[in-house]
Each structure stands twice: as structure tokens, then as C-alpha cells.
Amino acid sequence: MLTCNYSTFPGLHLRQLMNQFLRISVFKQEFEELLQLFARELVNPNIVDPFIDELVAQIFSDLNGIKRCPV
């Protein structure tokens, strides 16, 4: 998995609540765990690619059905 410093993400610290939130170690740890889960489970190509392939197949199927309909 790729790693990066999320604290340099543009706009992350524009809101004071986020700054205060990340100063509390329990919340910061939970936030980091959620980011890791997101990266591992949702952005993982092994998980996302089959869903995308299925969606593309459904769209093509729908488009082929529309092409066969008389106008």
C-alpha cells in the first residue's frame, strides 16, 4: 500500500475543528485507522476492479438495448 503524509493534503487544516480533532490522540488514531481501512478496502484494485467491470458491462448492455429500440 502506498503511504503518504495526510497532514499535507490541501485544505485539511482549513477548518479549525479538524486541527483540534487531530490534536487528541484517540481521535487522531481512529482517523488514521479509518484512512488505512479506506485505502486497503475501498481503493484496492482487487476489490474495486470487479465492481467497475460489472458496472461497465451493465452500461454496455443498457446501451445495446437502447440502440435496438425503434425511435
Side-chain angles (χ1 to χ4, degrees), residues 17-34:
L17 179 60
M18 194 64 182
N19 292 329
Q20 297 301 321
F21 181 74
L22 292 176
R23 290 177 64 196
I24 301 169
S25 62
V26 174
F27 292 145
K28 182 177 180 180
Q29 180 181 352
E30 183 69 23
F31 177 73
E32 290 173 350
E33 288 173 7
L34 286 172

Side-chain angles (χ1 to χ4, degrees), residues 19-67:
N19 292 329
Q20 297 301 321
F21 181 74
L22 292 176
R23 290 177 64 196
I24 301 169
S25 62
V26 174
F27 292 145
K28 182 177 180 180
Q29 180 181 352
E30 183 69 23
F31 177 73
E32 290 173 350
E33 288 173 7
L34 286 172
L35 282 178
Q36 289 175 354
L37 177 66
F38 176 77
R40 187 175 57 248
E41 298 292 330
L42 189 58
V43 187
N44 185 338
N46 294 330
I47 294 171
V48 175
D49 285 354
F51 173 78
I52 293 172
D53 293 342
E54 188 176 316
L55 181 61
V56 169
Q58 181 64 45
I59 291 170
F60 276 118
S61 174
D62 290 348
L63 289 175
N64 286 332
I66 291 171
K67 287 180 184 177

